[in-house]
Amino acid sequence: MNSVTPNTTTELSSSIARRLRLPLIAAPMFRVSGPELVIAACRQGVIGSFPTANCRTVEEYDRWLCEIGAALTPEDAPFCPNLIMRRRSLKEELACLLKHKVEMVITSVGEPRPVIGPLHDIGCLVFADVANVRHAEKAIAAGADGLILLTAGAGGQTGWANGFAFVRAVRAMFDGPLVLAGGIGDGQALWAARTLGCDLGYMGTKFIATRESLAAEGYKRMLVDSRLDDIMLSRAFTGLETNTLRPSVIAAGLDPDNLPIDMTEERAAALYGGGSDSPGPKRWVDVWSAGHSVSGVSGVPSVTELVARTVQEYRRAQAETLSLLDSSSNGSEGRSCG
C-alpha cells in the first residue's frame, strides 16, 4: 500500500499516514455508514467512520466496534467512530470507546472538551467538527488534535463558509491536521484540498452510492439520477441548514418551494423526527440528504472500485500539477497570463 506523503505545513500521525492509500475519510453518515462500509473503506486504505447514532443501543455499539476491530489488521487504515456530543448516552458510548482503545474519534454537535481528556489518556486522536472560525477556536482551546471544516456543499447538516476561505482562515491559526468536508467528489478535488493546506478530505455522497452502504436502493438510484441543481438547502427538516435531495422531498409528498423557513429544532423533530405523533414524512428515511458532489455519482460501485478510481484521479491531478510547474519553470518567465 502506498503511503500518503505528509503535508509540508502539518503532519498527520505517521502511524496513521503510512497506512493510507488516499488522504481521505469516508464520512460518517446517519443511516448509511455501517460495519460493512467502514471495513471495506479501511481495507482499501481510507479511514472509515460511522456516527454513534446509527446504533440503537450501547450494546449494539459495542458489537459494531467488536466486528470492525476483528475484521481489520494493523496494516489497514484506522476506523473512526463519530461521537455526537449531545446524545443522552454519551457517557456510556465514551466508556465503550475507551474499552476498545480506538485510535481516532470525531466529535460533532457540541463542545468536545468533556471527552478529550479520557480519549487522550488512551492515545486516541480527537478530530472536532467545526462550522465557523469561532467553533474552531473553541475546539483548539479544548485540546482537539485536528479539525474537520464543515463547509458549504456538504450533505446533510452543513456549513455555510466557502471552503477556500475557511481553510486558509483556520490554517493561519492552527498547524494541526485539517480535514475539508464539503464538495469533495473525486481525486482531483481531494488533491485541491491538499494544496489548500488540508491533511485529509471527507467524501460522503459517493460512499452513499456504494454496494456496501446501508442506504436504500431507491436512495442510491436517486443519487445516480440527480445533479447539483437537485440539492436544496433548507431548515425545514432539522431546524438547521441541511442539504437534501429535492426529488426525495417531492416523492415524500411535499412542495420543496413551499417549506417553512422559520423552523426550530424542536418543531422539526415533532413534524419529521419519526415519532409516533409525527404527521410528516420521516427525515433521513423518506427525505434523503446529499452534497453538492452528487453530479459526480454515475453508478453504484463497490468501495474497492470507488477507491481505485479515486486513486487514479488523485494521481492524475498530482501529475498535472507537476506538469504545470515544469512548464512554468521552463520558458514561461517574463510571459504575461493570457
Side-chain angles (χ1 to χ4, degrees):
M1 184 176 293
N2 294 320
S3 296
V4 175
T5 302
N7 194 312
T8 55
T9 58
T10 177
E11 188 169 320
L12 188 67
S13 167
S14 60
S15 65
I16 292 175
R18 66 176 179 80
R19 293 147 58 195
L20 301 186
R21 191 176 173 196
L22 280 170
L24 186 65
I25 298 174
M29 295 171 286
F30 185 51
R31 300 184 67 89
V32 170
S33 306
E36 187 178 3
L37 177 56
V38 171
I39 291 166
C42 293
R43 285 176 172 170
Q44 292 304 310
V46 168
I47 296 169
S49 66
F50 68 95
T52 55
N54 282 358
C55 300
R56 290 166 295 180
T57 64
V58 175
E59 291 73 24
E60 183 179 26
Y61 189 43
D62 184 65
R63 288 195 298 272
W64 278 29
L65 292 171
C66 287
E67 180 181 349
I68 294 168
L72 300 176
T73 73
E75 295 305 309
D76 291 322
F79 67 94
C80 187
N82 174 203
L83 272 179
I84 311 302
M85 297 301 297
R86 293 182 186 171
R87 276 172 64 83
R88 293 178 181 176
S89 54
L90 175 63
K91 182 177 179 180
E92 293 77 13
E93 290 165 356
L94 174 61
C96 200
L97 293 178
L98 299 177
K99 168 187 165 185
H100 286 273
K101 294 183 169 57
V102 294
E103 292 181 77
M104 297 178 66
V105 162
I106 295 166
T107 64
S108 299
V109 195
E111 166 68 52
R113 190 181 300 273
V115 302
I116 287 179
L119 289 170
H120 279 175
D121 286 344
I122 63 166
C124 177
L125 295 176
V126 180
F127 282 62
D129 236 359
V130 297
N132 55 47
V133 173
R134 182 173 60 84
H135 289 165
E137 289 172 337
K138 287 185 174 181
I140 294 167
D145 301 290
L147 302 176
I148 297 167
L149 308 185
L150 190 60
T151 69
Q157 292 181 358
T158 186
W160 60 270
N162 172 280
F164 286 90
F166 196 10
V167 170
R168 298 316 301 161
V170 176
R171 178 52 76 209
M173 64 183 188
F174 182 64
D175 61 3
L178 295 182
V179 184
L180 179 62
I184 295 180
D186 57 26
Q188 190 157 9
L190 181 59
W191 176 244
R194 290 283 281 165
T195 63
L196 269 177
C198 291
D199 299 85
L200 299 162
Y202 248 28
M203 183 183 286
T205 300
K206 273 196 170 178
F207 279 102
I208 302 173
T210 57
R211 296 174 203 161
E212 293 89 346
S213 93
L214 296 174
E217 291 305 314
Y219 188 177
K220 297 176 185 181
R221 288 195 301 272
M222 188 175 286
L223 290 171
V224 174
D225 295 337
S226 296
R227 58 181 184 171
L228 174 59
D229 291 357
D230 292 311
I231 302 299
M232 59 174 286
L233 183 66
S234 172
R235 291 179 176 268
F237 302 106
T238 67
L240 301 171
E241 299 284 4
T242 304
N243 276 325
T244 56
L245 283 162
R246 177 180 286 264
S248 74
V249 176
I250 296 171
L254 300 174
D255 180 358
D257 296 318
N258 191 31
L259 294 171
I261 59 175
D262 58 347
M263 187 69 73
T264 63
E265 293 183 55
E266 294 75 19
R267 185 175 169 222
L271 286 174
Y272 307 115
S276 57
D277 297 329
S278 299
K282 297 179 182 179
R283 58 191 182 195
W284 319 127
V285 176
D286 302 307
V287 176
W288 295 323
S289 65
H292 288 180
S293 60
V294 70
S295 287
V297 179
S298 58
V300 183
S302 66
V303 168
T304 296
E305 292 166 336
L306 173 59
V307 173
R309 183 164 67 244
T310 307
V311 168
Q312 292 176 344
E313 295 162 348
Y314 185 78
R315 290 175 178 170
R316 185 162 60 245
Q318 286 179 309
E320 288 171 353
T321 300
L322 291 173
S323 178
L324 285 171
L325 290 172
D326 287 342
S327 63
S328 176
S329 62
N330 292 324
S332 63
E333 188 174 348
R335 297 180 184 176
S336 62
C337 295

